[in-house]
mmCIF file of all heavy atoms in Angstrom:
data_model
loop_
_atom_site.group_PDB
_atom_site.id
_atom_site.type_symbol
_atom_site.label_atom_id
_atom_site.label_comp_id
_atom_site.label_asym_id
_atom_site.label_seq_id
_atom_site.Cartn_x
_atom_site.Cartn_y
_atom_site.Cartn_z
ATOM 1 N N SER A 4 44.297 112.599 100.385
ATOM 2 C CA SER A 4 43.451 113.563 101.095
ATOM 3 C C SER A 4 42.512 114.333 100.166
ATOM 4 O O SER A 4 41.368 114.652 100.547
ATOM 5 C CB SER A 4 44.363 114.620 101.897
ATOM 6 O OG SER A 4 45.185 115.292 100.975
ATOM 7 N N ASP A 29 28.062 96.252 108.693
ATOM 8 C CA ASP A 29 28.216 95.435 107.442
ATOM 9 C C ASP A 29 29.299 96.068 106.514
ATOM 10 O O ASP A 29 30.075 95.348 105.971
ATOM 11 C CB ASP A 29 26.880 95.333 106.766
ATOM 12 C CG ASP A 29 25.844 94.570 107.532
ATOM 13 O OD1 ASP A 29 26.248 93.756 108.431
ATOM 14 O OD2 ASP A 29 24.591 94.791 107.359
ATOM 15 N N ARG A 57 40.574 99.952 94.359
ATOM 16 C CA ARG A 57 39.123 99.928 94.047
ATOM 17 C C ARG A 57 38.238 99.652 95.242
ATOM 18 O O ARG A 57 37.204 100.311 95.410
ATOM 19 C CB ARG A 57 38.847 98.862 92.900
ATOM 20 C CG ARG A 57 39.420 99.178 91.536
ATOM 21 C CD ARG A 57 38.734 98.284 90.532
ATOM 22 N NE ARG A 57 39.036 96.915 90.708
ATOM 23 C CZ ARG A 57 40.069 96.289 90.223
ATOM 24 N NH1 ARG A 57 40.951 96.923 89.471
ATOM 25 N NH2 ARG A 57 40.232 95.011 90.495
ATOM 26 N N GLU A 81 27.301 108.156 116.247
ATOM 27 C CA GLU A 81 27.969 106.865 115.982
ATOM 28 C C GLU A 81 28.680 106.873 114.658
ATOM 29 O O GLU A 81 29.831 106.327 114.518
ATOM 30 C CB GLU A 81 26.969 105.735 116.042
ATOM 31 C CG GLU A 81 27.575 104.345 115.900
ATOM 32 C CD GLU A 81 26.525 103.260 115.958
ATOM 33 O OE1 GLU A 81 25.285 103.600 116.104
ATOM 34 O OE2 GLU A 81 26.917 102.125 115.693
ATOM 35 N N GLN A 84 31.888 108.917 114.890
ATOM 36 C CA GLN A 84 32.898 108.255 115.589
ATOM 37 C C GLN A 84 33.501 107.143 114.715
ATOM 38 O O GLN A 84 34.692 106.882 114.707
ATOM 39 C CB GLN A 84 32.334 107.526 116.856
ATOM 40 C CG GLN A 84 33.354 106.900 117.690
ATOM 41 C CD GLN A 84 32.706 106.267 118.952
ATOM 42 O OE1 GLN A 84 31.455 106.395 119.131
ATOM 43 N NE2 GLN A 84 33.492 105.742 119.857
ATOM 44 N N ARG A 109 59.355 100.655 102.444
ATOM 45 C CA ARG A 109 59.066 101.804 101.547
ATOM 46 C C ARG A 109 59.568 103.138 102.144
ATOM 47 O O ARG A 109 60.072 103.961 101.409
ATOM 48 C CB ARG A 109 57.549 101.853 101.310
ATOM 49 C CG ARG A 109 56.976 100.726 100.536
ATOM 50 C CD ARG A 109 55.650 101.053 99.907
ATOM 51 N NE ARG A 109 54.625 101.406 100.933
ATOM 52 C CZ ARG A 109 53.910 100.474 101.598
ATOM 53 N NH1 ARG A 109 54.067 99.167 101.358
ATOM 54 N NH2 ARG A 109 53.012 100.850 102.486
ATOM 55 N N PHE A 190 129.307 123.406 104.098
ATOM 56 C CA PHE A 190 128.354 124.116 103.277
ATOM 57 C C PHE A 190 128.195 125.579 103.744
ATOM 58 O O PHE A 190 128.279 125.878 104.946
ATOM 59 C CB PHE A 190 126.992 123.445 103.270
ATOM 60 C CG PHE A 190 126.482 123.081 104.600
ATOM 61 C CD1 PHE A 190 125.808 124.014 105.278
ATOM 62 C CD2 PHE A 190 126.711 121.853 105.138
ATOM 63 C CE1 PHE A 190 125.202 123.712 106.555
ATOM 64 C CE2 PHE A 190 126.221 121.530 106.388
ATOM 65 C CZ PHE A 190 125.462 122.448 107.154
ATOM 66 N N ILE A 196 117.756 127.823 106.143
ATOM 67 C CA ILE A 196 118.034 127.082 107.331
ATOM 68 C C ILE A 196 118.393 128.100 108.421
ATOM 69 O O ILE A 196 119.122 129.046 108.202
ATOM 70 C CB ILE A 196 119.250 126.156 107.135
ATOM 71 C CG1 ILE A 196 118.878 125.110 105.974
ATOM 72 C CG2 ILE A 196 119.544 125.404 108.421
ATOM 73 C CD1 ILE A 196 120.040 124.183 105.712
ATOM 74 N N GLN A 220 124.938 100.168 106.671
ATOM 75 C CA GLN A 220 125.158 99.790 105.277
ATOM 76 C C GLN A 220 126.677 99.483 105.071
ATOM 77 O O GLN A 220 127.019 98.497 104.422
ATOM 78 C CB GLN A 220 124.756 100.975 104.392
ATOM 79 C CG GLN A 220 124.868 100.597 102.876
ATOM 80 C CD GLN A 220 124.475 101.770 102.008
ATOM 81 O OE1 GLN A 220 124.757 102.902 102.286
ATOM 82 N NE2 GLN A 220 123.769 101.539 100.927
ATOM 83 N N GLY A 254 131.645 70.596 103.863
ATOM 84 C CA GLY A 254 130.160 70.637 104.345
ATOM 85 C C GLY A 254 130.069 71.495 105.598
ATOM 86 O O GLY A 254 129.169 72.330 105.735
ATOM 87 N N ARG A 265 122.799 84.006 107.732
ATOM 88 C CA ARG A 265 121.586 84.263 108.484
ATOM 89 C C ARG A 265 121.682 85.383 109.455
ATOM 90 O O ARG A 265 120.775 86.264 109.540
ATOM 91 C CB ARG A 265 121.161 82.979 109.213
ATOM 92 C CG ARG A 265 119.809 82.981 109.826
ATOM 93 C CD ARG A 265 119.525 81.671 110.610
ATOM 94 N NE ARG A 265 120.459 81.506 111.727
ATOM 95 C CZ ARG A 265 120.344 82.108 112.875
ATOM 96 N NH1 ARG A 265 119.324 82.922 113.150
ATOM 97 N NH2 ARG A 265 121.229 81.894 113.886
ATOM 98 N N SER A 289 121.590 85.149 99.786
ATOM 99 C CA SER A 289 121.206 83.717 99.680
ATOM 100 C C SER A 289 122.448 82.877 99.936
ATOM 101 O O SER A 289 123.458 83.094 99.211
ATOM 102 C CB SER A 289 120.622 83.409 98.294
ATOM 103 O OG SER A 289 120.447 82.001 98.189
ATOM 104 N N ASP A 291 123.016 79.724 99.280
ATOM 105 C CA ASP A 291 123.284 78.848 98.141
ATOM 106 C C ASP A 291 123.924 79.643 96.995
ATOM 107 O O ASP A 291 124.857 79.160 96.355
ATOM 108 C CB ASP A 291 121.981 78.190 97.667
ATOM 109 C CG ASP A 291 121.375 77.269 98.715
ATOM 110 O OD1 ASP A 291 122.153 76.782 99.609
ATOM 111 O OD2 ASP A 291 120.168 77.091 98.701
ATOM 112 N N LEU A 295 127.694 79.034 95.582
ATOM 113 C CA LEU A 295 127.958 78.816 94.123
ATOM 114 C C LEU A 295 128.857 79.895 93.561
ATOM 115 O O LEU A 295 129.756 79.576 92.705
ATOM 116 C CB LEU A 295 126.588 78.818 93.331
ATOM 117 C CG LEU A 295 126.667 78.625 91.842
ATOM 118 C CD1 LEU A 295 127.254 77.266 91.550
ATOM 119 C CD2 LEU A 295 125.233 78.741 91.313
#
Side-chain angles (χ1 to χ4, degrees):
S4 60
D29 296 336
R57 290 196 299 270
E81 180 182 357
Q84 184 179 5
R109 293 198 301 274
F190 48 86
I196 303 177
Q220 186 182 39
R265 185 182 63 82
S289 173
D291 297 335
L295 181 60

